[in-house]
Amino acid sequence: SVCKEEDSCPAHSDVRNNEKLDSAHKTSATENVPALAFPSISTADFHFDLEKASNIIVEKVEEYINELGNARLVLVDISPNSKILASVRRKIAQRNIDSSKFFTFVGDITQLYSRGGLQCNVIANATNWRLKPGGGGVNAAIFSAAGPELESATKERATSLQPGNAVVVPISSTSPLFIREGVTHVVHVLGPNMNPQRPDCLKNDYVKGCNVLRKAYSSLFGAFVSIIR
Ligand code: AR6
């Protein structure tokens, strides 16, 4: 449905605000400050509840925001109608979070600089327990954009991950991700799985699921803080 009053329609205020924010951050991308771009862990293929996930994202950002120095956290989704981005934006609007330190961005995480003008030196991957390329979603996109050396560089550091854990993999200067996008590190993170078609399904146990998702964001943001120090 097309809204003819988009400029004044309250239902579109999120979209308008995000566009304003996006252009503001693009202009300042030349500052070259460290930034972590991360997808919403577990909320697509792993079927994690969006409201619970957005609460945890906001909670964990608030926990780490003061450890960032001049660095930034950017929640990214490829979908322009992303429900998770909208939910997080609604929640941060009600809180006292510095919008230059944490914001949302619509775009492909493997093309943030070349297509979106947004420079992020670190990107997070919502991976699988075997740390294998493919499988769809952001994992397939990142392994494919990085080239085959991401798989070998990953294997040198870990061959599997437990849910809630992360592993940092430096990107070589010959990788298209480095050359085209300026990415120096990928942080693979394994989130909780709520999808019965995938390994280690938590069968709707959201007490455990929320704890594992909190641990996943702690692992991710902690890894980013140690990269930029
Ligand atoms: N750029 C930005 N965001 C993306 C992109 C992209 N190229 N692709 C997907 N997203 P998902 P999960 C968003 O399913 O739920 C894989 O098969 C997407 O809209 O990638 O943790 C792995 O091998 C969503 O908001 O990860 C695992 O088996 C978010 O990224 C399993 O999926 C996460 O969606 C992991 O499932």
Side-chain angles (χ1 to χ4, degrees):
S1 71
V2 177
C3 173
K4 294 208 167 63
E5 309 287 329
E6 261 200 47
D7 285 347
S8 53
C9 170
H12 283 94
S13 75
D14 259 10
V15 176
R16 285 196 305 275
N17 287 336
N18 198 41
E19 279 166 3
K20 275 186 220 148
L21 279 176
D22 279 2
S23 61
H25 292 120
K26 276 182 209 164
T27 325
S28 55
T30 48
E31 285 168 27
N32 210 7
V33 296
L36 168 69
F38 65 100
S40 168
I41 310 294
S42 290
T43 56
D45 193 44
F46 278 177
H47 294 187
F48 200 93
D49 179 85
L50 295 180
E51 277 304 303
K52 290 181 172 70
S54 68
N55 284 336
I56 290 171
I57 291 169
V58 174
E59 172 194 321
K60 286 287 151 185
V61 165
E62 285 186 314
E63 192 180 320
Y64 281 85
I65 204 158
N66 292 324
E67 296 186 40
L68 293 176
N70 68 338
R72 300 160 157 184
L73 303 175
V74 188
L75 174 65
V76 175
D77 195 354
I78 197 163
S79 157
N81 302 313
S82 169
K83 292 197 172 107
I84 188 79
L85 293 199
S87 174
V88 167
R89 264 188 256 127
R90 271 195 302 276
K91 283 166 190 168
I92 58 180
Q94 296 159 2
R95 308 178 84 89
N96 199 6
I97 295 179
D98 181 346
S99 68
S100 71
K101 290 242 167 302
F102 175 57
F103 53 94
T104 65
F105 196 86
V106 174
D108 183 337
I109 203 163
T110 65
Q111 303 191 310
L112 290 176
Y113 186 65
S114 59
R115 299 283 302 273
L118 180 74
Q119 223 164 54
C120 294
N121 60 322
V122 184
I123 63 175
N125 178 26
T127 194
N128 49 71
W129 75 276
R130 287 177 186 277
L131 293 159
K132 282 288 188 196
V138 77
N139 184 73
I142 289 177
F143 272 104
S144 143
E149 61 185 34
L150 178 59
E151 191 181 0
S152 48
T154 300
K155 266 200 200 117
E156 285 171 23
R157 284 160 184 88
T159 49
S160 67
L161 269 188
Q162 292 293 314
N165 288 355
V167 58
V168 175
V169 183
I171 293 298
S172 99
S173 58
T174 58
S175 164
L177 262 190
F178 176 82
I179 296 167
R180 213 171 5 101
E181 311 297 333
V183 173
T184 61
H185 297 79
V186 168
V187 185
H188 299 295
V189 196
L190 182 62
N193 172 37
M194 297 298 180
N195 178 354
Q197 314 292 320
R198 300 285 176 268
D200 292 327
C201 175
L202 290 176
K203 300 191 178 122
N204 223 38
D205 180 352
Y206 272 101
V207 175
K208 189 153 187 211
C210 286
N211 281 330
V212 175
L213 192 61
R214 284 192 190 92
K215 187 172 178 228
Y217 281 108
S218 294
S219 303
L220 171 61
F221 295 160
F224 178 57
V225 166
S226 52
I227 290 169
I228 62 176
R229 279 219 173 114

